[in-house]
Amino acid sequence: MSNLTSPEFFEARKVPLGGVRGVRVDRVLPQRDLPTLGAWCFLDQFGPGFAEMIVLPHPHIGLQTVTWPLAGEIRHRDSVGSDVVLRPGQLNLMTSGRGVAHSEVSLTEGVHALQLWVALPAEATPLDPGFEHHAQLPSFRSEGIDALVFMGALGDAESRATTYTPIVGAQIDVTDGTIPLRPDFEYGLLVIDGAVRVADVELKPGPLLYLGTGRDEITLAGPARVILLGGEPFPDDLVMWWNFVGRSHDEIAAAREQWENQDTSRFGIVAGHGSDRIPAPVLPNLRLKPRKQPSRNQ
Ligand code: MN
């Protein structure tokens, strides 16, 4: 137990959301010194108590979107023809492959939700887009622990959601208990409700606690509801700009141009919105560069 990474806090920051009237969310990932956590490359928290979430059609490349509501209901529509109402305890997983578009609109007031992205490995970026709704997810239970596993596996509970790299995402209700971890995974924790004592620190709602690699279990003292994210450290340096994840400026610029040109061969059509869509911002007047993975991932 001597090579453990010291727990490190990463504060969330308030970010205005394009295409939504004056709405701000808490952006937990990416961080300058933590561009990815496993293949998790993006985490926004809406709410709690978000009055209205209206995210008009917008495109994605190079990623999977993971939508995890904690309160309220969200309607998801996309360019592969999905139209699904998502409720707490259920998972929406959309895989962009080469390109997809979607919209998300709250159906109830008081929404609280996590919007996560998982970076695709290069070999999965040319695939066809796809969407999965998982209404039933496996539970991992042990003394003091009741977890819903939405991506990957925790102990003997394995989600059926499609993954492309070794990864885990789980919602854990804990009083006082221990969860099994994989030493080859890096992990982070986000508290949704309550507070936990973990790795000799106190974690409350707000920041992400980075736990690094090398652990085969961890003890959590609540009571709390926490989100556990983890995975094999992601090897690639990624270019992230707007709703796109790629590996070069040119790849991002091409996707932007195709969205602006309403190239339906790449991004399809999200039915039910007429001509409403989120326009892409202007590219910065410089070449986008990949965010370097920190040395801990080398
Ligand atoms: Mn999206």
Side-chain angles (χ1 to χ4, degrees), residues 58 60 65 102 104:
H58 60 279
H60 288 292
T65 63
H102 72 146
E104 289 177 300

Side-chain angles (χ1 to χ4, degrees), residues 224-245:
R225 169 167 285 183
V226 302
I227 300 293
L228 173 75
L229 300 176
E232 272 183 10
F234 195 76
D236 298 1
D237 296 331
L238 299 172
V239 184
M240 284 182 58
W241 182 80
W242 193 43
N243 291 303
F244 302 137
V245 174

Side-chain angles (χ1 to χ4, degrees), residues 256-265 267-268 275 277:
R256 180 195 179 278
E257 192 172 331
Q258 285 164 307
W259 176 250
E260 289 307 280
N261 291 340
Q262 311 206 19
D263 181 346
T264 55
S265 72
F267 292 112
S275 59
R277 63 210 293 277

